[in-house]
Coordinates of all heavy atoms in Angstrom, one line a residue:
T181 N 16.6 -3.6 -0.8 CA 17.6 -4.1 -1.7 C 17.1 -5.2 -2.6 O 17.3 -5.1 -3.8 CB 18.7 -4.7 -0.9 OG1 19.3 -3.7 -0.1 CG2 19.8 -5.4 -1.7
P182 N 16.2 -6.2 -2.2 CA 15.7 -7.2 -3.1 C 14.8 -6.6 -4.2 O 14.6 -7.2 -5.1 CB 15.0 -8.2 -2.2 CG 15.5 -7.9 -0.9 CD 15.8 -6.5 -0.7
L183 N 14.2 -5.4 -4.0 CA 13.4 -4.9 -4.8 C 14.1 -3.9 -5.9 O 13.5 -3.3 -6.7 CB 12.3 -4.1 -4.1 CG 11.3 -4.8 -3.2 CD1 10.5 -3.7 -2.4 CD2 10.5 -5.7 -4.1
G184 N 15.5 -3.8 -5.7 CA 16.3 -3.0 -6.6 C 16.0 -1.5 -6.3 O 16.3 -0.7 -7.2
L185 N 15.8 -1.2 -5.0 CA 15.5 0.2 -4.6 C 16.7 0.7 -3.8 O 17.3 0.0 -3.1 CB 14.2 0.4 -3.8 CG 12.9 -0.1 -4.6 CD1 11.7 -0.1 -3.7 CD2 12.7 0.7 -5.9
E186 N 16.9 2.0 -3.9 CA 17.9 2.6 -3.0 C 17.3 3.5 -2.0 O 16.4 4.4 -2.4 CB 18.9 3.5 -3.9 CG 20.0 4.2 -3.1 CD 20.7 5.2 -4.0 OE1 20.5 5.3 -5.1 OE2 21.6 5.9 -3.4
I187 N 17.6 3.4 -0.8 CA 17.1 4.3 0.2 C 17.9 5.5 0.4 O 19.1 5.4 0.6 CB 16.9 3.6 1.6 CG1 16.0 2.5 1.5 CG2 16.4 4.6 2.7 CD1 14.5 2.7 1.1
V188 N 17.3 6.8 0.3 CA 18.1 8.0 0.3 C 17.6 8.6 1.5 O 16.5 9.3 1.7 CB 17.9 8.9 -0.9 CG1 18.7 10.2 -0.8 CG2 18.2 8.2 -2.2
P189 N 18.3 8.5 2.8 CA 17.7 9.0 4.0 C 18.2 10.5 4.2 O 19.2 10.9 3.7 CB 18.4 8.1 5.1 CG 19.8 7.7 4.4 CD 19.5 7.7 2.9
Q190 N 17.3 11.2 4.9 CA 17.6 12.6 5.2 C 17.1 13.0 6.7 O 15.8 12.8 6.9 CB 16.9 13.5 4.3 CG 17.2 15.0 4.4 CD 18.7 15.3 4.4 OE1 19.3 15.2 3.4 NE2 19.1 15.9 5.5
L191 N 17.9 13.4 7.5 CA 17.6 13.7 8.8 C 16.9 15.0 8.8 O 17.3 16.0 8.1 CB 18.8 13.9 9.8 CG 18.6 14.4 11.2 CD1 17.7 13.4 11.9 CD2 19.9 14.6 11.9
W192 N 15.7 15.2 9.5 CA 15.0 16.5 9.5 C 14.7 16.7 11.0 O 13.7 16.3 11.6 CB 13.7 16.3 8.8 CG 13.0 17.6 8.5 CD1 13.6 18.8 8.4 CD2 11.7 17.9 8.1 NE1 12.8 19.8 7.9 CE2 11.5 19.3 7.8 CE3 10.6 17.0 8.1 CZ2 10.3 19.8 7.5 CZ3 9.3 17.6 7.7 CH2 9.2 19.0 7.4
D193 N 15.7 17.4 11.7 CA 15.5 17.6 13.0 C 15.0 18.9 13.5 O 14.9 19.2 14.6 CB 17.0 17.4 13.8 CG 18.1 18.2 13.1 OD1 17.7 19.0 12.2 OD2 19.1 18.1 13.6
N194 N 14.7 19.8 12.4 CA 14.1 21.0 12.6 C 13.0 21.2 11.6 O 13.4 21.6 10.5 CB 15.2 22.1 12.6 CG 14.5 23.5 12.9 OD1 13.3 23.7 13.1 ND2 15.4 24.6 12.8

Side-chain angles (χ1 to χ4, degrees):
T181 300
L183 297 172
L185 303 176
E186 175 191 358
I187 299 300
V188 183
Q190 177 63 57
L191 175 64
W192 198 24
D193 55 0
N194 180 3

